[in-house]
Structures are given as structure tokens and as C-alpha cells.
Amino acid sequence: MPVPFHDIDHREAERVLLADGWTPCGAGDWAIALRSPDGTTAARISPFDPVGPYTTALYRQAAHTRQVPVLYAHERLVGGGDLQLMEWLQPVTEEEAVAFHRAIAARAPEVADLVDVIGRVHDRARQELPWCGPLDHNPSNVMRATDGRLVVTDLFYADGPALYATATADPGLVASRIPESERRFMTEIPLTSSGPWDPEAQRAMRAGLAAADARADLDSAPGRDLVSGQ
């Protein structure tokens, strides 16, 4: 990669790749996608993606199955964002995608090794991540590589509706369970499919989380009397 991406946030990562000739090619609820100048590589950039490390663990651990994308690089970005560079993929018909998901659900022989890795990584994600969702059976998560094989992508996800509803109703709970450094840009995910964002709701969520962080900083300040609160 041309720069140390772990030192920059999602905005700067996008800017760097665009300046290097990459072009926008899609957006979803959690991330945008860019395509490399030679057309062989896709970059997935998310401002906030708690499951990114688990998705890339799946891609690496299941690489021998050839049923996940070839992952070229992965970086966590400043503020909790995520960057994945992987082989270029094409959409498939809904019929093909549904059949692939059904094979995974049934642990069909041809996907048994893949299912074992999925289960192992997903179990760890559910143990370690607050608001980790179940497996995502969206047909758009099955795609075709340039060599013709079917692969599965983005099976893991944070339960966005529950997480963002909690951030609105009880920002202190979210602040206590996800460090600020890992959710700094959680109100900047694209929401292309479910959105658009209500700007006022974005501002209120940021303010609520900032206030929760400030209270936590005050409570942990040196010299504060834990009994009297002074």
C-alpha cells in the first residue's frame, strides 16, 4: 500500500486512493468501495466497522477453500475504521446466491471446510464484540471472482439497528462498551441502503456520546473521591 494506512482515518484513506487513480464503484450501509486503476482490486473503506478484523480473519483462515475473496491487505484505520484490499468481484444471480447460502446453512460437503471456519470465527466475534449480529444471509454477499468461483463476503456484521438505537437512548452504555478510539466515526457510515441519515439525529447522537465520554473522563480523573464523588 502507498502509505501507512493505520496512521490515517477513512477520509484520508479514500483521498489517498482516489489521488492514486482508484475510482468509486459502490457503497452500502457500512462502507464504500473503490476499484484499482488496473481493475483487479477492490478497496472496501468503512468509517466504523467493529467486525472488520473478524471478516478478514475469515478470509485468511478460509483461503484454502477458495470460497472467500483473496485478501491482499487489511488495516484498521484511525477512529475505528476499516480498510480491506481484495480481489475484484462481480455480482451473481439471486438464485445462485441463495443456493450458496443454503449449502452453507446445511453444511453441504462442498462447503464443509468453509462452514467450520465461519463457525469458529463467528463464535469468537460473538464472545468478544458487543452488538455482534447473526450471520448475514443477504444474497448480495455471494459474488463471483474473475476465475469463475463463487465466494462469500461480509457474513459478519454489527447489529446496527440495536447498536444505533442504544447510542440514541443510552449513549453511556455504548460509551462504556466500545472505546471512543474504536467508534469515533460511527455516525459517518454511508447508510446507502437503509438511510439516508437524518442530520439532526446524527448531531444528537454525536452530542450524546461526547457527553458520555466526558462524564467517564471526569469519573476516572485522578483524585476524584469515589465515595463522595468529589
Side-chain angles (χ1 to χ4, degrees):
M1 291 186 288
V3 298
F5 279 90
H6 59 274
D7 289 336
I8 61 178
D9 63 24
H10 63 287
R11 300 190 201 99
E12 183 65 8
E14 180 182 7
R15 188 197 67 77
V16 166
L17 290 177
L18 289 174
D20 203 36
W22 294 60
T23 54
C25 62
D29 275 351
W30 292 85
I32 64 168
L34 305 178
R35 190 175 188 180
S36 64
D38 65 4
T40 64
T41 306
R44 179 187 182 277
I45 305 173
S46 175
F48 168 65
D49 186 9
V51 302
Y54 300 90
T55 296
T56 56
L58 170 63
Y59 295 166
R60 286 169 173 154
Q61 294 178 30
H64 65 283
T65 70
R66 302 288 290 160
Q67 293 165 330
V68 293
V70 175
L71 181 70
Y72 300 128
H74 171 242
E75 288 285 0
R76 292 298 282 172
L77 303 173
V78 169
D82 197 82
L83 170 67
Q84 299 167 19
L85 299 183
M86 66 189 76
E87 65 178 324
W88 176 253
L89 303 171
Q90 296 281 0
V92 301
T93 66
E94 184 170 351
E95 182 180 8
E96 289 177 293
V98 169
F100 199 76
H101 276 304
R102 285 176 177 164
I104 290 174
R107 199 178 181 276
E110 66 273 18
V111 294
D113 286 352
L114 172 64
V115 171
D116 289 345
V117 180
I118 291 171
R120 182 169 66 247
V121 177
H122 191 223
D123 283 348
R124 182 162 62 89
R126 287 186 294 182
Q127 292 169 9
E128 297 174 353
L129 286 180
W131 294 282
C132 181
L135 293 180
D136 188 350
H137 302 296
N138 190 326
S140 66
N141 292 343
V142 177
M143 304 190 77
R144 190 182 307 281
T146 55
D147 61 6
R149 74 190 196 284
L150 292 182
V151 301
V152 67
T153 70
D154 295 330
L155 282 181
F156 311 141
Y157 67 98
D159 185 349
L163 171 57
Y164 283 85
T166 305
T168 299
D170 189 357
L173 179 58
V174 172
S176 69
R177 301 196 67 188
I178 305 177
E180 187 277 336
S181 61
E182 289 298 314
R183 56 169 164 81
R184 189 169 306 156
F185 303 111
M186 69 177 290
T187 62
E188 297 187 22
I189 62 173
L191 281 189
T192 302
S193 302
S194 303
W197 275 101
D198 176 350
E200 183 54 38
Q202 281 179 298
R203 285 192 290 270
M205 189 178 297
R206 290 190 191 109
L209 289 167
D213 289 332
R215 287 193 298 272
D217 288 343
L218 181 62
D219 289 343
S220 63
R224 182 175 176 85
D225 189 315
L226 297 180
V227 176
S228 67
Q230 299 177 355

